[in-house]
Amino acid sequence: MLATLARVATVRRSGLRPGPGSRRGLWTGRPQADTDNVKPLEGVKILDLTRVLAGPFATMNLGDLGAEVIKVERPGAGDDTRTWGPPFVGTESTYFLSVNRNKKSIAVNIKDPNGVKIIKELAAICDVFVENYVPGKLSALGLGYADIDRIAPHVVYCSITGYGQTGPLSQRAGYDAVASAVSGLMHITGPEDGDPVRPGVAMTDLATGLYACGAIMAGLIQRYKTGKGLFIDCNLLSSQVACLTQVAGNYLIARKEAKRWGTAHGSIVPYQAFKTKDGYLVVGAGNNMQFATVCKILNLPELIDDCKYKTNHLRVQNRKELIRILSARFEEAMTSEWLHRFEGSGVPYGPINNMKNVFAEPQVLHNDLIMEMKHPTVGKISVPVTSMDTPLHTN
């Protein structure tokens, strides 16, 4: 039946099947009819062999932009995250639901020669092939990049791994918490005098998914220019190390070792969460003018011209004393009062919201960051989406 699906999908490609030397499946820049309803990746077909988070997050974002995503899962068990819970809605894991919209799902045993044949038939009619197996595993089954390239040289093949295709750690399985530890992210996350802390969401997985998503779109543009597919190597370790940005720069350029700062910033003061009478408020003063404004709002004008705090460099040097003064003042009023006082000041500020408050936040509602959709077995569900002018494909 799946072989038939593959053949039927070939017929339904609407002209995207290439002839020899042709360029495939991307807009040429010429005006088209009804362009307001054309989704950026409409007509692009993705074969998705990924599980858990980084890969599914990447393909979900591509699906949101109009790509047709065919998700391949293990017969019986499916994606690991189908069992991750609670919470569940009926028999569905909310974790799984959060990163697998806009996908068609099929179950294929890729350890069976017939399953390998089905995957190859599907790959031949797809534009993108995404997988997140340990390096070498798919090659051993006849589904590595070289294998797919022989039958479908047009395919953009993206491999998402824990540590890369080669090297001393390449054969290790890659999970977000471990990669965030090895990459240094966990070393710089947590209270200043406390233990390392795992970020509240899997930021290493999500960053890798976004890198993969961008690389795949760049690969499609490259294929449009050359008529040929390519191989993309994307991994958790490389993605997270790249995201260390100024923290890595501090060490590589100035040999300054990083440390944990809690909610504070190592190079800007004040820039952190302050406890109020009933919650927390995050305030950031990135320049002297903003610092002066903060002092006026807190009715501490004497700090503005204090020789210990006149510049950010001095404020960083005298961090403890300044934060002690500011903290004492913030604790005198409720969060709502501080929000009112900071409104229109030009200083970046905001409360620390729980999930209930996040999704009641007026700007979140204004930006349409909550998407409702109908699930075939559990009914109406809501998921978070990004805010962009491009129309999203939802299913």
Side-chain angles (χ1 to χ4, degrees), residues 14 36 58 71 76 95 113 153 172 190 220 237 275 321 359 364 371:
S14 303
D36 287 346
K71 182 178 177 71
Y95 193 120
R172 290 188 186 179
L220 289 169
L237 179 64
K275 187 173 176 56
E321 181 182 356
F359 293 109
V364 169
M371 178 186 293

Side-chain angles (χ1 to χ4, degrees), residues 322-388:
L322 177 58
I323 295 303
R324 179 180 56 77
I325 296 170
L326 299 180
S327 296
R329 184 53 55 90
F330 273 110
E331 288 195 69
E332 294 177 3
M334 308 283 277
T335 302
S336 58
E337 174 64 23
W338 291 121
L339 292 174
H340 176 72
R341 294 190 194 183
F342 274 91
E343 179 65 32
S345 66
V347 174
Y349 71 100
I352 295 182
N353 285 331
N354 60 20
M355 291 303 101
K356 180 179 179 180
N357 290 336
V358 167
F359 293 109
E361 170 65 47
Q363 191 66 46
V364 169
L365 299 175
H366 174 80
N367 288 355
D368 290 329
L369 300 184
I370 306 169
M371 178 186 293
E372 291 186 350
M373 62 185 72
K374 188 174 182 180
H375 189 276
T377 61
V378 302
K380 187 173 74 172
I381 63 172
S382 298
V383 292
V385 295
T386 188
S387 173
M388 47 187 178

Side-chain angles (χ1 to χ4, degrees), residues 31-51:
Q32 298 177 336
D34 197 21
T35 55
D36 287 346
N37 295 320
V38 174
K39 300 174 182 67
L41 296 182
E42 189 171 321
V44 173
K45 190 183 291 288
I46 296 171
L47 188 58
D48 178 10
L49 273 70
T50 67
R51 306 91 68 208

